[in-house]
Amino acid sequence: MAVPPSTYPRRILPLFLGLFQGALLLFFALFVTYDEPSAQAEDTSSVAHQVYSTFPFFQDIQVMLVVGLGLLLTFLPRYGFSALTHNFLLLNFSMQWALVLQGLLHHFHHGQIHLDLHKLLISEFAAVTVLISVGAILGRASPCQLLAMATCEIPIYLASEWVIVSCLGVLDVGGTITIHVFSCYFGLGVSKALFRATQQPLHPKETPTPSSDLMSLVGTLILWVFWPSFVAVLCQPGDAQHRAILNTLLAMSAGAISTVVASSLLERDGKLSLGHLQNGSLAGGVAIGVVADMALPPVAALALGSLSAVACVLGFRFLTPLLGRKLTLHDQCGIHNLHGLPGVLGAAASVVAVLVASTDTSGSQPSQLPPAGGNASEVVEGHWGDRGVGRQALCQAAGLAVASGASLLAGLLTGALLRLPCLAQPPERLCFDDSLYFKIQDQTESSGPDSSAEEGALALKEHI
């Protein structure tokens, strides 16, 4: 008996994931190993130091991505299960995919890839770009589309990061340019191509409820607490890492207060917008990443955090509606306001910081662990003490141009690819609804006896 066409997309997801995990099992069995245990006390001490100094940061980042970011995406009242689960699925899928690609590109020696905690951490940073980008199309894309998007985005991110960090020598310890700016404009490019030039009307399931906004706000608080670990983990231990933590805390504290001020002033009745609080409070952490380990005065971190938060709130209030009307650009989570605008501000701040850096601070100039797995001297030798202040400032600006331009173009191409019928984009009437992808036990009680049957029939009719 022939299988109905409407069941094909539902079988693509487990088939794709099963083949992917099976291929990775074979790849790991053939090519991936751990370093041989060393009998020398110096090597043993070095490994122990790396574990004890890095793993606490790694745990913080895990909490950020799995719990904090997952909860932040639950502002859609009937899409909470999907937001949390798809975020978790994409994190694991993207991390493994990045681990394979980075191993082949940077760590493949004598037929083996030696796995360690640092390589795993760098792969997780690559996965962050996917988690941010999907915010632009959250609720309107199927799991198959999200996985296809991740498959395309990871290699493009690795190429972009290599150009920005290794070729241009851009200093960006917290990923402001390489992660936040790149993922923002990649996601916007995907959204533009996926939905073409059609104006997306407000969906009845798109309006947050008090309970969904509360869950999202809890996610914001978790991200706010652990964000300094995300920024400082790649810094060289010591002064640079200490400075990065302090600058991040100052920027985020100022950003939280500035968000309340800006939101209250923009609302006619002086009340606070939960959407502003959920995003503006984190904008300082996005902007400070590129200059976090530089020898900045504390007031600079406070000022940058405040400016980025105000820019984020103004973006939600004025820029997002304008882009929707003029460019028919759909940005479901407002990633342009949280990641794009603060990212551009942070990149501009890095240019200024390089230009005003005095020669007496050259001893404390930024140094960071190589994000793509090279040796640390490759990054340290790129600081402006060797290259000249003007050239380094120009490289910072060039890095911003590469991250935004390349990601936008790649996003447009990826969005066009996601329109393939086999990827099962849901029809508009079934968007923002967990029942399309999850078996919810009490859905018949909450939505009436005929609701699930009606939606199921509609799903079959629309070939989901």
Side-chain angles (χ1 to χ4, degrees), residues 255-336:
I257 294 177
S258 300
T259 298
V260 174
V261 173
S263 180
S264 180
L265 290 176
L266 286 175
E267 297 297 327
R268 293 180 180 178
D269 53 6
K271 295 181 180 180
L272 301 178
S273 166
L274 289 172
H276 295 166
L277 291 177
Q278 292 158 1
N279 294 274
S281 303
L282 304 174
V286 174
I288 197 66
V290 67
V291 295
D293 61 338
M294 296 185 184
L296 301 174
V299 67
L302 289 170
L304 184 57
S306 297
L307 286 174
S308 58
V310 172
C312 179
V313 173
L314 291 175
F316 273 102
R317 185 68 173 82
F318 301 108
L319 187 57
T320 296
L322 179 65
L323 293 178
R325 291 194 308 268
K326 301 297 183 181
L327 301 179
T328 61
L329 184 62
H330 176 77
D331 183 6
Q332 184 63 47
C333 294
I335 62 173
H336 188 235

Side-chain angles (χ1 to χ4, degrees), residues 225-254:
V225 169
F226 291 108
W227 203 287
S229 295
F230 183 87
V231 173
V233 65
L234 290 182
C235 293
Q236 294 285 1
D239 289 340
Q241 198 168 66
H242 183 216
R243 196 161 51 239
I245 293 173
L246 293 177
N247 283 333
T248 305
L249 286 171
L250 289 175
M252 298 197 70
S253 181

Side-chain angles (χ1 to χ4, degrees), residues 162-170 382 387 392 395-396 398-400 402:
W162 178 79
V163 171
I164 293 171
V165 175
S166 300
C167 298
L168 295 178
V170 172
R387 308 176 65 176
Q392 183 62 47
C395 287
Q396 296 295 118
L400 174 63
V402 170

Side-chain angles (χ1 to χ4, degrees), residues 283-438:
V286 174
I288 197 66
V290 67
V291 295
D293 61 338
M294 296 185 184
L296 301 174
V299 67
L302 289 170
L304 184 57
S306 297
L307 286 174
S308 58
V310 172
C312 179
V313 173
L314 291 175
F316 273 102
R317 185 68 173 82
F318 301 108
L319 187 57
T320 296
L322 179 65
L323 293 178
R325 291 194 308 268
K326 301 297 183 181
L327 301 179
T328 61
L329 184 62
H330 176 77
D331 183 6
Q332 184 63 47
C333 294
I335 62 173
H336 188 235
N337 306 315
L338 176 55
H339 302 278
L341 297 179
V344 172
L345 276 177
S350 71
V351 174
V352 175
V354 169
L355 290 176
V356 302
S358 57
T359 56
D360 61 354
T361 62
S362 59
S364 60
Q365 285 179 357
S367 60
Q368 67 190 74
L369 297 177
N375 58 68
S377 62
E378 291 176 352
V379 178
V380 176
E381 290 174 358
H383 65 65
W384 63 80
D386 295 332
R387 308 176 65 176
V389 172
R391 184 180 176 187
Q392 183 62 47
L394 184 61
C395 287
Q396 296 295 118
L400 174 63
V402 170
S404 56
S407 62
L408 185 60
L409 177 60
L412 290 170
L413 296 176
T414 302
L417 178 66
L418 297 188
R419 296 185 63 85
L420 291 175
C422 64
L423 296 179
Q425 181 176 340
E428 184 66 19
R429 286 174 290 180
L430 295 180
C431 290
F432 310 113
D433 201 323
D434 287 326
S435 63
L436 189 59
Y437 306 110
F438 291 88

Side-chain angles (χ1 to χ4, degrees), residues 450-463:
D450 299 326
S451 178
S452 68
E454 181 182 349
E455 288 190 350
L458 181 59
L460 292 176
K461 183 178 179 181
E462 297 286 353
H463 299 292

Side-chain angles (χ1 to χ4, degrees), residues 165-224:
V165 175
S166 300
C167 298
L168 295 178
V170 172
L171 299 170
D172 185 19
V173 68
T176 298
I177 298 173
T178 55
I179 294 177
H180 293 285
V181 171
F182 173 89
S183 56
C184 167
Y185 290 102
F186 185 92
L188 294 180
V190 169
S191 176
K192 180 63 178 176
L194 182 60
F195 303 119
R196 293 183 179 175
T198 58
Q199 182 72 39
Q200 297 294 328
L202 183 66
H203 197 282
K205 302 174 187 176
E206 197 174 350
T207 304
T209 62
S211 59
S212 66
D213 265 334
L214 178 61
M215 292 294 292
S216 182
L217 189 57
V218 171
T220 296
L221 299 180
I222 294 173
L223 289 169
W224 194 95

